[in-house]
Amino acid sequence: MDITIKEQVNNVIDAFKPDVIFHCAAWTAVDKAEELQDLCYQVNVIGTKNITDAAIKNNAKLVYMS
C-alpha cells in the first residue's frame, strides 16, 4: 500500500484488524531530502499520520521505528 494515500491505508488496516502495527516506512535518502522536500514530507509526515489515524480507528497499538 502507499502510506501517503489515506484510503489505501484505511482499507488495508480495516481488512486486517491488527492488534499492533509496526511502522517502519520512512524517507531515508537523507542526501535527497532537501531536493525532494515535498515527497519527504508526504512519506514521513502524511504517511505516518495516515497510519496513526487508522491505528486509532481500529484500536491498534502503533510501534514507530525511528
Side-chain angles (χ1 to χ4, degrees), residues 36-60:
L36 301 169
Q37 289 181 19
D38 290 339
L39 183 55
C40 183
Y41 183 85
Q42 284 294 314
V43 172
N44 288 345
V45 178
I46 302 301
T48 299
K49 182 178 184 332
N50 290 341
I51 292 172
T52 301
D53 290 346
I56 291 168
K57 180 177 143 192
N58 284 277
N59 199 31

Side-chain angles (χ1 to χ4, degrees), residues 8-26:
Q8 284 185 19
V9 174
N10 283 329
N11 289 343
V12 170
I13 293 177
D14 288 350
F16 283 95
K17 304 248 185 267
D19 294 321
V20 180
I21 299 167
F22 290 87
H23 174 27
C24 302

